[in-house]
Amino acid sequence: MIKIGNAPCSWGVEFADDPRNPAWRKVLQENADAGYTGIELGPVGFMPEDPAVLGDALEEFGQELVGGVVFRPFHDPAAWDDVMDGSVRTCAALKAHGAQHLVLIDSISERRAPTAGRVAEAEQMDAAEWAAYRDRIATIARMGAEEYGLTVGIHAHAAGFMDFEPELERLLDEVDESILKICFDTGHHSYAGFDPVAFMKRHMPRISYMHFKDIDPKVKADVIAKRTGFYDACGQGIFCNLGDGDVDFPAVRQVLLDHGFDGWCTVEQDCDPAGDTSPVDDAKLNRTYLQSIGF
């Protein structure tokens, strides 16, 4: 059975300490109000790390914790302590609440931000830098899978060093499938300039978890042409409501059904926490849209 959840990033929560963040209980309440029964953890520290406190609130709002994201600079060897801190705390939180999915995302790099969506122009790591980068990802994946019993998925993300399809496929070739699956984000794949449905058809056996995100093609063309930064692109609405962009969600649904996908698909509509949007209204519209096409 395919289940539909949502995530705090749909309320603009990207960093736990951002003073613009909404209250964590408000996010749980509005997620429930919008018709979702599952939610991601968000950046560790946004929701309480005391399992009793968060557990009571999840029960209160009828929510299941689906998974959590480690959005840290895997590309930066000097940031390893930060990566490990976020990873260990996220793993502990997920295990405490019976969540399954640990998602690894290489955060935005200044070296990559100007070429988001421009695969031919993007700077590439040399062989030694790539090998160390790959091994850092594999180390966290092995920890999540073997020490915490989680399903770990790599998530490509605009403006990091795991952005474009060739990089993602190279990593998948070099890290054992037993410890690293794919959390596939439809919107980031489109942002990077590739076809999400075609990728799914090739790699569906390794996709363990889905992030549903749509891309406004007009905004995408504009921000790529102007080399707009990722967060500014979010503020311009590059991640539009599901069904309003260039991702073919009926086709996504069919691929999932054809492969007997069983589990959670999580809506993620990154937005500016101080922007002129209503996250709860967008969450409701996204839920209604998904129901309209059979989810």
Side-chain angles (χ1 to χ4, degrees):
M1 184 176 77
I2 296 174
K3 297 179 283 188
I4 305 296
N6 210 317
C9 66
S10 298
W11 278 259
V13 180
E14 299 286 351
F15 301 99
D17 58 357
D18 190 330
R20 303 172 300 166
N21 286 340
W24 65 274
R25 285 180 58 87
K26 179 182 180 182
V27 172
L28 289 178
Q29 174 71 67
E30 292 189 348
N31 198 55
D33 291 346
Y36 300 87
T37 58
I39 193 162
E40 282 192 359
L41 185 68
V44 69
F46 170 64
M47 293 195 192
E49 291 184 71
D50 181 337
V53 176
L54 180 54
D56 286 348
L58 290 168
E59 186 175 357
E60 177 184 350
F61 295 112
Q63 298 294 303
E64 178 179 338
L65 193 66
V66 176
V69 172
V70 178
F71 182 68
R72 301 278 172 121
F74 284 87
H75 60 266
D76 182 359
W80 179 245
D81 288 347
D82 179 55
V83 172
M84 183 60 79
D85 170 72
S87 301
V88 170
R89 290 164 62 200
T90 301
C91 284
L94 298 181
K95 187 168 184 179
H97 298 286
Q100 181 183 358
H101 295 288
L102 176 67
V103 179
L104 307 184
I105 303 179
D106 184 29
S107 61
I108 290 167
S109 163
E110 291 181 3
R111 293 161 60 193
R112 271 302 187 87
T115 53
R118 294 173 169 272
V119 64
E121 298 178 29
E123 178 185 347
Q124 300 295 324
M125 293 176 169
D126 65 26
E129 188 181 13
W130 168 269
Y133 173 63
R134 174 202 66 211
D135 290 349
R136 287 191 291 274
I137 294 171
T139 296
I140 300 301
R142 187 172 301 281
M143 179 183 74
E146 296 183 353
E147 295 181 30
Y148 291 90
L150 302 170
T151 302
V152 186
I154 187 67
H155 178 304
H157 192 287
F161 273 94
M162 190 55 56
D163 185 353
F164 305 110
E165 191 173 275
E167 295 158 354
L168 180 56
E169 293 185 328
R170 180 181 180 185
L171 185 77
L172 296 171
D173 284 343
E174 295 181 16
V175 180
D176 195 279
E177 184 173 355
S178 67
I179 60 168
L180 188 67
K181 308 291 194 292
I182 305 167
C183 171
F184 187 64
D185 187 302
T186 55
H188 278 285
H189 211 75
S190 170
Y191 194 156
F194 296 88
D195 180 347
V197 174
F199 181 89
M200 288 177 68
K201 288 179 178 177
R202 291 199 308 277
H203 295 284
M204 200 61 220
R206 198 161 175 177
I207 293 174
S208 56
Y209 184 37
M210 294 288 299
H211 280 174
F212 283 172
K213 188 175 292 172
D214 212 346
I215 292 280
D216 183 320
K218 292 181 180 178
V219 178
K220 179 170 72 170
D222 180 72
V223 301
I224 290 173
K226 295 177 180 175
R227 288 175 164 76
T228 304
F230 174 75
Y231 290 111
D232 289 334
C234 290
Q236 292 174 30
I238 189 167
F239 297 120
C240 57
N241 285 332
L242 302 186
D244 291 346
D246 63 12
V247 175
D248 186 348
F249 280 100
V252 168
R253 175 180 177 271
Q254 193 58 54
V255 175
L256 292 172
L257 292 176
D258 288 347
H259 287 82
F261 183 85
D262 182 29
W264 286 97
C265 299
T266 294
V267 175
E268 291 208 334
Q269 187 175 349
D270 303 51
C271 67
D272 182 342
D276 186 24
T277 58
S278 171
V280 67
D281 289 341
D282 286 338
K284 289 176 180 176
L285 288 169
N286 288 330
R287 191 69 195 94
T288 299
Y289 169 73
L290 290 172
Q291 288 171 329
S292 77
I293 61 169
F295 280 111

